[in-house]
Amino acid sequence: MISTKAPRNLFEFDNARYLSSEEIVETFLPTKAFWRLLSAKNHVVLGARGSGKTAIARMLAHPQLAKFREPRARKIVASKSFIGLYVPTKAEWIGGLRNKPWLSDAQKERLFAWRMNVATCLASLATLRSCLDTYVEDEIERLRLERALASRLAADWFPDEREVTSLGRLKFLLEDIEFKKHQELAAGYTQLGSNGASELGLPFHVELFLPLRRAIRHASEILDFPDTTIWLLCLDEAEALEEFHQRILNSYLRTHSDNLVFKLTTTPYGHYTLETNVGADLSVGNDFEYIYIDRDFVTGATERGHEPTYEARLFRLRAKHSGQKIKHISLRDLLGRSPLLSPIESGQITREELITEIRRSGDQLLKRRTELLSDSPNRFNNEIARKLAGIVLLRAAVSRLSGQEEIDLYAGSSLVVRCSDGNPRRMIRLFNKLILEGNWTTGKRGTRVHVNAVSPRRQTQLVRAFSVSTLARVQAEPGYGRNLHSLLSLIGRYMRALLHDGPLSTDHVTSVVISPEEDPEVWPLVKAGVGIGLLYPNIHPKKPDELPEAGGTFHFAYVLTPAFYLMPRRGKARKLATILEVTSGKEAGLQLTLQLGSRAK
Amino acid sequence: MIVFRVSDVQTDECLKSNYDLAIFAAGYEERCTNLASQIDLSGIRRSLLVGFAEHAKGPQRAENSRLLQRLLRCSEVQVAHDDERPLLDALRQMPFPPGGNLSILVDYSSMSRSWYSGVISFFRYLQIQSPVSLTFAYTVGEHQDLTQENWTERSNYSVEEIISLRGLEGGPLRPKSTVALLGLGFEWLAPISVCEQLEPDVVYPIVADPGAFPEYGPFAVARNREFLQDYTRNDNLVRAPIRSVATTYRLLAELVLPFRQDSNIVLVPMGPKPHVLASILLANRFRELSCLYVKGARKAPIRVRPAAPKDIVATRVELIPDP
């Protein structure tokens, strides 16, 4: 169906949840992880906030996949090999499970299973509607099958209801039963002091996912699906669940193996436990696999540009569907070349100036290497200039900072992309801020729009403000926010002091080595930092989906580098203990109060 | 029972009416004793005094408790700020006659929102066949640290958890949009935290303006400037008066009505208590709405004294048996 709505500026919407079904499909860029998920395995997708988990989960669901024009997706839909359902476990839904702390574990489990059964049955209706629309062309036949399906499902879910002939009616009944359940619980709680026992909606007070599995069986029979069809239950935002709830889900994954498989999305370290309630832990590799999506694509080729990078494609795709004004612009048109990441190419500094600065403020090792390479310009460029030119520029600019003085180095398309850490939400937020600053001119006939690049100074102001604000907002994270903010500030200040106050060196520090044994109080904060995409673990290239569980090296998110005038480039690592020692010595009174909230596990 | 009508009441009428039961709370602020000191106690048949179980021995809290016990001639039931069950237990012990209209007074000036929400739920589900009239009274407060610097330093606020108020969990998850009505207070972190957790599609920020004093509305807007810039689109800011719960209730109702059929609607009141009350009442009126509670912690209590002895916001809520 062609949408009759006028196109919106899609850069204003940084979350897949804000997009309509059509917009999701139009702006979706499938990554390797997406195609891996279309398989008959249980998966837990790990990705920092904003990394695109919801977009992936929504695209796996049949209503979206059926509209996707990509040939591989079309084949999957046509062959009915995978049918996906999307279930968001939104915070407000979880809030209704967490507000009854006095319930026993058995009562909590019973309530969770009931609500999850209702939620998954409700989600199945959207998918069944999509299946009917996709696979049954004849309208009369479609109505007949919908009637048969609704009647069969109603017999299971609402045995007392007569004449349920549409999926719409079933949706109403499912919503109604949940409202009534809450009211019954509230009445019992206030009038009797009862603790949550309620027999309303008995067909959902059964084993977890049984009502859904029966629905799948009915649908497969009525819609004539092949036996090989795999149903994907995409449970989004599982980090909002408590460990207790995840254990219940794990138990299911451990004990069931049929045509219903699970795609859970959560933050890194947001799959809190492998424990089950059946005596045997979940086994990674056998019962399920992790897919870590924070580095699901390779960045960095924009400037040299043969194959457009993920970021450039993302920008173009959004621009294309955002109306006439933005349609034709590219990142390079809007932002230009980066003075900090390509300083020599952009004429910001010459080789001679660099050598002079090294002689003036370089450490002994750097000076010696520079002298040794004085007759080898190519080696000097590759081994020293490439790493150091941006740093020299940054040091000089920051040393001149005073009062009204501002810098203009955090600018250019590759820098903006770098400072979004490959996180689509961050990228879109930054793109939108910069698009709003664009100086637009319209062609003679008013059809073609041209944009003059935003000035480097203005870009820097916006990128720095975004960076500072990203750091400040860490304080808003429930439970651990204040402590994580202190930790990140401390690390950033240490790195800044090293870069700007010490001698010039190629050993630029941007990562932290952390060990749970040596830093037991900080380790939960580091995991929380990874969860919100402000720290990134160094991942073993042969185990790209395995997060370090026993400590490791974590690099400071590039988005935070402008806040501390750091270089957004990968550098060396320092032990956290060293940073704490140095910083606490310099800044008396700066203490981390590590009273951790329960969420920072 | 259903919430049938919400109306504003004149302070004098509130102070001189007769009540079958009056519920007072001993809190940490001076203003919690104001209503008990102003009201004609001879019009109250029975009193129930609840007090915070946490930090019950703090000097101001203990002084408030002593004064209220002496005035009301009853002992205090201690209740944790987030667990209203002892309050509900006490209400269940009360002999409410099955016939005749009940008239209840609730001084929520220093109550935890889970308490007054619990009181509403209690009477909403009370098995009687006659209407119940609940009069809510709130003593308007004057903050003693209201500058940006003082507030930030004194408050040092942090968000701990976001949960649903009991009985106001709303409905099942709808895969479509989420609309959030966020009441803004002076803590800039709280609405950001809520939006990062809920990721609503549409946000209506609500600020108390006119507030307790003319400068309070602009102060709340200034404190939340970053949130308003980055999390709300267009000019969605809603200004609702602190002194009329009925007006705020109606404004909120008008905002949610277009979304009731398809969207998840979430009320997250973080502003002054009259706005919290309006949100709770609305969630009691429309079952699709969920009302969330942001649990936070402060380094030190905020110092609030009564703005003026008779500056009381009184609201009458009529509950009638469900037709």
Side-chain angles (χ1 to χ4, degrees):
Chain A
M1 194 172 71
I2 297 167
S3 171
T4 52
K5 286 182 185 171
R8 322 187 273 177
N9 172 8
L10 298 184
F11 291 98
E12 287 179 11
F13 305 92
D14 54 32
N15 190 318
R17 281 168 51 169
Y18 305 161
L19 300 177
S20 70
S21 182
E22 286 76 18
E23 286 166 342
I24 280 263
V25 174
E26 283 166 350
T27 58
F28 184 68
L29 272 179
T31 57
K32 281 183 195 164
F34 177 74
W35 297 118
R36 278 176 70 191
L37 285 164
L38 284 160
S39 72
K41 286 179 183 166
N42 294 314
H43 281 116
V44 176
V45 180
L46 305 172
R49 191 180 293 162
S51 59
K53 302 183 296 290
T54 295
I56 288 176
R58 281 189 69 180
M59 278 304 295
L60 288 171
H62 196 274
Q64 277 69 245
L65 198 67
K67 293 178 191 142
F68 198 29
R69 295 194 189 119
E70 213 280 341
R72 206 160 149 187
R74 291 174 83 130
K75 198 171 158 191
I76 286 167
V77 170
S79 63
K80 302 176 186 170
S81 42
F82 296 102
I83 306 285
L85 295 78
Y86 173 71
V87 182
T89 43
K90 293 185 183 181
E92 60 267 36
W93 189 79
I94 302 298
L97 290 168
R98 293 156 75 117
N99 68 353
K100 301 169 185 70
W102 55 84
L103 294 183
S104 68
D105 280 358
Q107 288 166 333
K108 279 185 192 170
E109 180 167 350
R110 189 173 148 84
L111 182 60
F112 173 72
W114 190 92
R115 293 192 74 198
M116 187 56 88
N117 281 338
V118 172
T120 50
C121 288
L122 201 52
S124 75
L125 297 181
T127 286
L128 294 178
R129 159 65 56 210
S130 172
C131 289
L132 282 166
D133 291 344
T134 307
Y135 301 123
V136 189
E137 279 184 25
D138 181 76
E139 199 175 333
I140 303 297
E141 177 63 1
R142 200 184 311 142
L143 281 171
R144 188 186 72 76
L145 291 176
E146 179 178 351
R147 197 182 170 97
L149 198 52
S151 160
R152 192 84 70 86
L153 295 176
D156 270 6
W157 299 345
F158 302 101
D160 297 334
E161 284 289 327
R162 300 268 173 261
E163 287 295 303
V164 178
T165 56
S166 71
L167 297 182
R169 174 71 183 155
L170 273 177
K171 177 172 177 269
F172 171 82
L173 290 171
L174 283 168
E175 290 192 351
D176 191 55
I177 195 90
E178 175 123 0
F179 292 134
K180 285 180 175 159
K181 186 75 163 182
H182 287 309
Q183 288 179 347
E184 192 184 68
L185 287 170
Y189 161 68
T190 55
Q191 302 309 311
L192 308 168
S194 77
N195 47 16
S198 157
E199 295 308 314
L200 193 71
L202 216 50
F204 302 99
H205 270 310
V206 290
E207 185 192 336
L208 190 62
F209 302 122
L210 184 59
L212 174 67
R213 294 213 318 271
R214 285 185 59 85
I216 288 172
R217 200 174 309 150
H218 293 317
S220 301
E221 190 187 319
I222 291 170
L223 299 177
D224 197 22
F225 284 162
D227 295 341
T228 50
T229 297
I230 299 295
W231 293 72
L232 314 175
L233 180 57
C234 310
L235 206 57
D236 195 17
E237 299 178 83
E239 71 273 17
L241 296 170
E242 293 180 351
E243 188 174 320
F244 173 82
H245 302 127
Q246 291 193 355
R247 207 180 305 130
I248 298 168
L249 291 175
N250 289 349
S251 307
Y252 185 90
L253 299 188
R254 186 80 184 89
T255 51
H256 287 76
S257 172
D258 51 22
N259 64 341
L260 174 63
V261 300
F262 286 74
K263 310 291 169 180
L264 267 65
T265 77
T266 185
T267 50
Y269 301 108
H271 189 213
Y272 304 121
T273 182
L274 291 174
E275 287 178 12
T276 69
N277 295 329
V278 292
D281 283 0
L282 212 54
S283 161
V284 185
N286 292 323
D287 298 316
F288 79 106
E289 282 179 359
Y290 284 120
I291 295 184
Y292 181 38
I293 64 165
D294 278 344
R295 285 193 183 78
D296 197 22
F297 44 84
V298 180
T299 64
T302 334
E303 299 282 334
R304 295 185 181 87
H306 300 293
E307 181 69 17
T309 58
Y310 176 89
E311 296 89 342
R313 287 165 62 209
L314 180 84
F315 185 92
R316 279 185 206 164
L317 204 51
R318 289 245 163 183
K320 187 178 160 191
H321 294 283
S322 292
Q324 198 62 30
K325 180 177 164 186
I326 304 171
K327 199 171 180 177
H328 299 291
I329 64 165
S330 71
L331 262 180
R332 182 57 82 75
D333 294 339
L334 186 68
L335 306 175
R337 192 187 279 275
S338 166
L340 197 59
L341 297 181
S342 316
I344 294 173
E345 296 89 327
S346 58
Q348 294 284 322
I349 188 167
T350 63
R351 183 170 177 270
E352 289 66 36
E353 287 167 335
L354 186 58
I355 291 174
T356 306
E357 184 57 25
I358 290 171
R359 285 182 182 144
R360 197 175 70 82
S361 54
D363 64 12
Q364 290 307 315
L365 183 65
L366 179 61
K367 285 177 180 167
R368 207 161 49 240
R369 283 180 64 205
T370 304
E371 294 308 321
L372 282 173
L373 297 177
S374 59
D375 295 332
S376 312
N378 284 343
R379 280 190 65 197
F380 176 79
N381 278 346
N382 285 336
E383 293 174 26
I384 296 179
R386 196 174 49 81
K387 291 181 187 171
L388 221 56
I391 291 176
V392 167
L393 275 181
L394 193 57
R395 278 169 58 111
V398 170
S399 72
R400 290 194 300 269
L401 272 181
S402 65
Q404 300 299 311
E405 192 83 26
E406 290 181 81
I407 69 168
D408 57 5
L409 292 173
Y410 290 103
S413 59
S414 57
L415 182 126
V416 169
V417 162
R418 182 77 61 89
C419 284
S420 57
D421 296 284
N423 180 298
R425 185 180 303 166
R426 206 171 277 166
M427 222 179 287
I428 289 161
R429 279 184 184 177
L430 262 171
F431 289 165
N432 189 46
K433 283 180 187 292
L434 292 159
I435 282 171
L436 295 175
E437 292 292 319
N439 181 11
W440 306 89
T441 50
T442 310
K444 279 183 185 167
R445 288 167 184 267
T447 50
R448 187 83 180 191
V449 179
H450 175 73
V451 63
N452 294 320
V454 182
S455 76
R457 191 169 298 276
R458 186 64 187 137
Q459 287 188 51
T460 301
Q461 284 170 348
L462 290 168
V463 170
R464 278 241 325 133
F466 185 79
S467 176
V468 169
S469 151
T470 300
L471 178 67
R473 286 173 195 185
V474 173
Q475 298 172 87
E477 293 298 323
Y480 57 80
R482 290 266 178 197
N483 292 327
L484 181 57
H485 178 261
S486 299
L487 177 70
L488 294 170
S489 302
L490 194 137
I491 294 171
R493 284 202 288 270
Y494 171 84
M495 290 174 176
R496 177 184 168 155
L498 218 57
L499 182 72
H500 292 281
D501 303 340
L504 186 62
S505 160
T506 48
D507 288 349
H508 146 237
V509 173
T510 58
S511 299
V512 191
V513 180
I514 293 163
S515 144
E517 285 78 34
E518 289 177 34
D519 315 298
E521 290 164 319
V522 175
W523 181 235
L525 292 180
V526 171
K527 294 204 282 185
V530 176
I532 57 173
L534 294 180
L535 290 170
Y536 288 92
N538 271 2
I539 297 288
H540 194 290
K542 289 187 177 166
K543 296 173 183 170
D545 298 313
E546 206 170 286
L547 291 170
E549 286 293 345
T553 301
F554 294 82
H555 105 85
F556 207 49
Y558 293 137
V559 68
L560 297 178
T561 56
F564 296 98
Y565 296 113
L566 301 176
M567 189 68 191
R569 178 173 281 161
R570 192 64 73 87
K572 296 265 163 55
R574 281 278 192 287
K575 278 185 135 187
L576 180 69
T578 309
I579 296 176
L580 293 178
E581 200 181 305
V582 171
T583 322
S584 58
K586 271 189 178 173
E587 299 178 35
L590 183 67
Q591 295 289 325
L592 276 175
T593 47
L594 300 170
Q595 294 165 344
L596 304 173
S598 58
R599 306 239 354 239
K601 282 174 184 163
Chain B
M1 295 269 195
I2 60 166
V3 175
F4 177 65
R5 186 177 292 135
V6 177
S7 53
D8 297 325
V9 178
Q10 294 295 317
T11 303
D12 279 347
E13 188 187 337
C14 166
L15 296 176
K16 288 175 184 160
S17 296
N18 292 327
Y19 300 102
D20 297 298
L21 171 69
I23 307 170
F24 296 90
Y28 307 107
E29 302 168 350
E30 275 177 64
R31 64 169 152 175
C32 71
T33 59
N34 182 56
L35 184 77
S37 309
Q38 302 294 323
I39 200 166
D40 176 5
L41 292 167
S42 66
I44 296 173
R45 185 179 292 177
R46 188 173 275 110
S47 293
L48 171 60
L49 174 61
V50 289
F52 285 93
E54 299 90 350
H55 311 293
K57 292 186 177 154
Q60 186 66 53
R61 161 79 178 85
E63 174 58 28
N64 293 340
S65 181
R66 270 194 299 276
L67 181 61
L68 285 168
Q69 290 190 54
R70 200 180 70 231
L71 282 170
L72 305 172
R73 293 181 195 165
C74 65
S75 56
E76 177 187 297
V77 176
Q78 290 208 344
V79 185
H81 78 282
D82 62 348
D83 185 356
E84 65 279 14
R85 283 180 298 163
L87 167 57
L88 296 174
D89 291 341
L91 285 174
R92 278 196 295 274
Q93 305 303 317
M94 298 279 170
F96 296 116
N101 297 356
L102 280 179
S103 179
I104 313 292
L105 173 69
V106 183
D107 178 7
Y108 67 114
S109 309
S110 279
M111 278 191 182
S112 152
R113 65 194 62 193
S114 65
W115 299 0
Y116 51 97
S117 178
V119 171
I120 296 169
S121 290
F122 177 85
F123 287 103
R124 199 180 144 198
Y125 294 109
L126 187 64
Q127 295 295 313
I128 56 172
Q129 295 309 312
S130 49
V132 176
S133 165
L134 297 168
T135 302
F136 287 89
Y138 169 82
T139 300
V140 176
E142 181 182 7
H143 287 271
Q144 292 172 266
D145 303 288
L146 207 69
T147 65
Q148 290 274 5
E149 297 74 24
N150 280 350
W151 185 275
T152 304
E153 191 191 338
R154 185 156 187 91
S155 165
N156 199 12
Y157 182 83
S158 59
V159 176
E160 292 184 333
E161 195 181 12
I162 301 170
I163 57 171
S164 305
L165 280 171
R166 286 177 271 281
L168 306 179
E169 289 88 350
L173 282 173
R174 289 165 164 171
K176 288 196 176 171
S177 60
T178 295
V179 178
L181 276 61
L182 303 187
L184 303 183
F186 298 152
E187 305 294 358
W188 70 279
L189 283 176
I192 290 177
S193 183
V194 168
C195 279
E196 287 293 328
Q197 305 300 311
L198 299 187
E199 301 180 343
D201 305 67
V202 181
V203 176
Y204 287 103
I206 295 137
V207 70
D209 192 9
F213 290 90
E215 66 272 24
Y216 283 19
F219 184 73
V221 172
R223 290 282 299 168
N224 290 285
R225 182 161 292 128
E226 188 172 329
F227 166 76
L228 291 168
Q229 275 169 4
D230 284 2
Y231 291 86
T232 64
R233 286 199 298 275
N234 305 321
D235 190 14
N236 280 355
L237 181 65
V238 178
R239 295 172 196 273
I242 193 175
R243 288 186 176 79
S244 172
V245 172
T247 304
T248 305
Y249 177 78
R250 198 182 63 244
L251 277 172
L252 297 181
E254 284 169 4
L255 287 175
V256 302
L257 282 176
F259 301 104
R260 278 184 63 206
Q261 292 307 313
D262 289 323
S263 302
N264 299 295
I265 304 172
V266 189
L267 301 167
V268 196
M270 293 169 284
K273 285 189 168 72
H275 284 194
V276 178
L277 177 64
S279 300
I280 290 171
L281 291 170
L282 198 68
N284 273 282
R285 180 69 181 83
F286 299 124
R287 62 182 194 170
E288 302 91 346
L289 276 56
S290 55
C291 191
L292 298 189
Y293 175 19
V294 180
K295 286 168 76 175
R298 289 195 176 96
K299 196 165 72 175
I302 297 297
R303 295 181 298 165
V304 184
R305 62 182 172 215
K310 295 230 171 153
D311 194 353
I312 292 168
V313 180
T315 310
R316 186 146 298 150
V317 178
E318 290 169 54
L319 301 177
I320 59 167
D322 197 338

